[in-house]
Amino acid sequence: MNKKRVAVFFGGKSFEHDVSILTGLQVMQVLDITKYEPIPVYVDVDGKWWTGKALLDMKNYPIDENIRATLHHIAISVGRGDLTPRFEILNPKMFGKKFIEFDIAFFAFHGSMGENGPMQGVMEASNIPYTGADVLSSAIYMSKTDTKAICRSIGIKVLDEIVLKKPNINESFDVKSLTKGLKINFPVCVKPANLGSSVGVSKAVNEDELQTSILQVFKLDNEVIIEPFVENLKEYNVAVMKNLDGEIITSVIESPVEKHEFLDFKDKYLASDGAKKTGPAKLAVPTEGLLSMGREYNPQITDEMKHFIETSAKKLFGYMGATGNPRIDFLCNSKTNELWLNEVNPIPGAFAFYLWEKSEHKINYAKLVDIIIQNGFKNFDAKNKNIDLKTASSIIFKKK
């Protein structure tokens, strides 16, 4: 059997650049080498693409000029009809190969310019199979405001929000003028509208803290969301995907054990115990995601709560075309048991394999990666229709 060549993309122009490196390396570590051949594709913070064996060794990060000199600078080679996808090597060695062929792009990105649609669009336009959510779903999932709008339209409960847009970059503005006249009941949660993994999320208990939080978000994003802060906060997460039979399934439900009132970026990725597990000395596939933070699996919740979480996840996933393997996060007032869908993470850290591993489906990391790849090929086959202008009756130009 010929092995499929899997180009694993990671890094990227994102605040979650380093987390993406960890995910990419983990994927290549668990990839079934009897079926797949990994090709590492590191996207640096300037958006340039690189490949080479040095990228497989975690000790080589961050990539310096010495390491970079050993790598191939690459770009997608397009316009080849039905031929195998390939990268063009932009800095070929003398008498060396000029191209690298592959079969599918595997996205291990987190955050903007990778998780939110642009890279998916590159593959769509180039007629190349890729993993994960499609272009539209990726873009909507990464926009908290668009996700909320979709949820409301299909009857999934979400928190009310106020959205503030950053003034034109050439305009000076007073942040007080942006909040003037707004009916805000403190405390509130302030967060970027288009970033993931709790980057830039904060709690504000008065006007001064609100204005400070808004200014901090505008350093990261062009839109701010202001939501009511959920008292007695408890978070619940569930992953969802299609299995190889085409059935939409959900993982075990987890409840992260918060160190603070809500999980921020450091809680999720930079805890000291997590750093030990994924430090530079050794790349270990974690048993609890990207860090060993406290998690409660199958938490004690009512049947009604469990039903809301699982059916909401399936409903939104199905409505958005059922591509990819997102993790969907919920907020809960633990005293009233009131629940709201909070956000969607289209490419969760470690692909949320720990939720699938502990679910009734018993899917380990290697099997999950295999399912993700196979679904990527299926999605491509379903979309990849030959264009016949005659059938479409759209011919304008004809030979005489």
Side-chain angles (χ1 to χ4, degrees):
M1 181 178 69
N2 292 329
K3 294 182 183 181
K4 295 294 186 182
R5 288 155 293 192
V6 180
V8 180
F9 284 75
F10 55 93
K13 298 172 65 175
S14 166
F15 290 105
E16 300 172 70
H17 178 93
D18 285 7
V19 178
S20 174
I21 293 173
L22 290 178
T23 299
L25 292 174
Q26 289 166 4
V27 166
M28 290 183 285
Q29 180 173 289
V30 302
L31 202 64
D32 184 350
I33 59 174
T34 67
K35 298 173 65 175
Y36 305 113
E37 176 187 343
I39 300 172
V41 181
Y42 170 62
V43 181
D44 66 24
V45 293
D46 294 320
K48 295 179 180 178
W49 300 6
W50 306 88
T51 191
K53 290 184 178 179
L55 296 173
L56 297 172
D57 191 341
M58 190 176 184
K59 291 182 293 187
N60 290 329
Y61 296 89
I63 302 298
D64 59 25
E65 289 306 314
N66 291 329
I67 297 297
R68 197 181 300 267
T70 70
L71 303 176
H72 290 305
H73 184 197
I74 59 174
I76 290 286
S77 176
V78 298
R80 286 166 40 80
D82 294 329
L83 299 179
T84 302
R86 67 182 188 178
F87 299 112
E88 179 182 359
I89 298 174
L90 304 179
N91 60 341
K93 309 295 190 243
M94 188 175 294
F95 306 116
K97 59 184 177 180
K98 302 292 190 299
F99 299 95
I100 300 172
E101 292 187 337
F102 66 102
D103 295 291
I104 190 169
F106 189 110
F107 291 139
F109 291 119
H110 300 302
S112 57
M113 301 307 293
E115 197 175 0
N116 61 337
M119 292 296 291
Q120 291 79 1
V122 169
M123 300 304 157
E124 290 269 5
S126 305
N127 204 37
I128 294 172
Y130 63 91
T131 62
D134 62 19
V135 179
L136 181 60
S137 299
S138 297
I140 289 177
Y141 286 152
M142 284 296 286
S143 168
K144 295 178 177 66
T145 53
D146 289 339
T147 297
K148 281 171 169 282
I150 293 292
C151 286
R152 289 190 181 103
S153 74
I154 59 177
I156 298 174
K157 189 175 181 181
V158 294
L159 288 169
D160 293 332
E161 79 275 4
I162 295 171
V163 179
L164 300 178
K165 294 185 181 295
K166 186 177 182 179
N168 188 291
I169 193 171
N170 296 320
E171 297 176 0
S172 60
F173 68 94
D174 179 3
V175 68
K176 292 182 180 180
S177 66
L178 295 179
T179 59
K180 185 178 180 180
L182 296 179
K183 294 181 179 180
I184 297 176
N185 296 317
F186 293 100
V188 293
C189 184
V190 184
K191 52 191 177 184
N194 302 291
L195 298 180
S197 296
S198 300
V199 174
V201 178
S202 62
K203 178 184 179 183
V205 299
N206 55 47
E207 190 72 25
D208 287 341
E209 289 188 2
L210 173 62
Q211 291 167 6
T212 298
S213 297
I214 290 171
L215 289 174
Q216 289 301 315
V217 170
F218 279 157
K219 294 178 181 179
L220 307 172
D221 197 357
N222 291 324
E223 287 186 332
V224 173
I225 289 181
I226 303 170
E227 294 176 339
F229 185 84
V230 177
E231 301 295 341
N232 313 303
L233 178 63
K234 191 77 172 174
E235 296 185 37
Y236 297 104
N237 306 326
V238 69
V240 59
M241 68 175 177
K242 272 187 177 180
N243 63 18
L244 294 180
D245 293 325
E247 176 190 5
I248 296 177
I249 59 174
T250 55
S251 71
V252 68
I253 296 171
E254 68 158 344
S255 178
V257 178
E258 303 91 342
K259 294 181 180 179
H260 310 297
E261 291 179 292
F262 59 88
L263 289 174
D264 61 14
F265 184 80
K266 289 185 179 181
D267 285 327
K268 288 188 175 182
Y269 296 116
L270 303 179
S272 59
D273 51 357
K276 292 175 184 177
K277 286 181 179 279
T278 56
K282 180 181 179 182
L283 174 63
V285 176
T287 58
E288 302 293 329
L290 284 178
L291 60 82
S292 183
M293 66 184 231
R295 300 176 188 272
E296 181 184 5
Y297 299 101
N298 281 321
Q300 295 297 312
I301 57 177
T302 66
D303 290 341
E304 291 79 10
M305 293 169 68
K306 185 173 187 289
H307 178 76
F308 175 82
I309 291 170
E310 292 180 342
T311 57
S312 295
K314 288 182 177 180
K315 189 175 185 179
L316 178 59
F317 182 68
Y319 182 85
M320 295 302 297
T323 58
N325 54 298
R327 190 193 72 225
I328 302 181
D329 301 347
F330 296 80
L331 302 177
C332 177
N333 183 322
S334 60
K335 287 192 175 180
T336 66
N337 288 341
E338 191 171 9
L339 279 161
W340 302 267
L341 191 149
N342 181 38
E343 62 184 14
V344 180
N345 191 328
I347 307 180
F351 293 92
F353 84 91
Y354 46 91
L355 297 181
W356 292 108
E357 193 172 56
K358 296 184 183 298
S359 73
E360 62 179 304
H361 309 288
K362 305 298 182 185
I363 300 171
N364 63 23
Y365 205 165
K367 180 61 178 176
L368 178 60
V369 167
D370 182 51
I371 292 172
I372 290 170
I373 293 171
Q374 291 195 54
N375 279 339
F377 281 119
K378 287 181 179 180
N379 292 336
F380 176 77
D381 290 340
K383 280 188 174 183
N384 190 30
K385 298 177 180 179
N386 292 326
I387 302 298
D388 185 345
L389 295 180
K390 292 181 180 179
T391 302
S393 300
S394 57
I395 295 177
I396 296 176
F397 304 101
K398 298 179 180 179
K399 293 285 188 183
K400 292 183 180 180

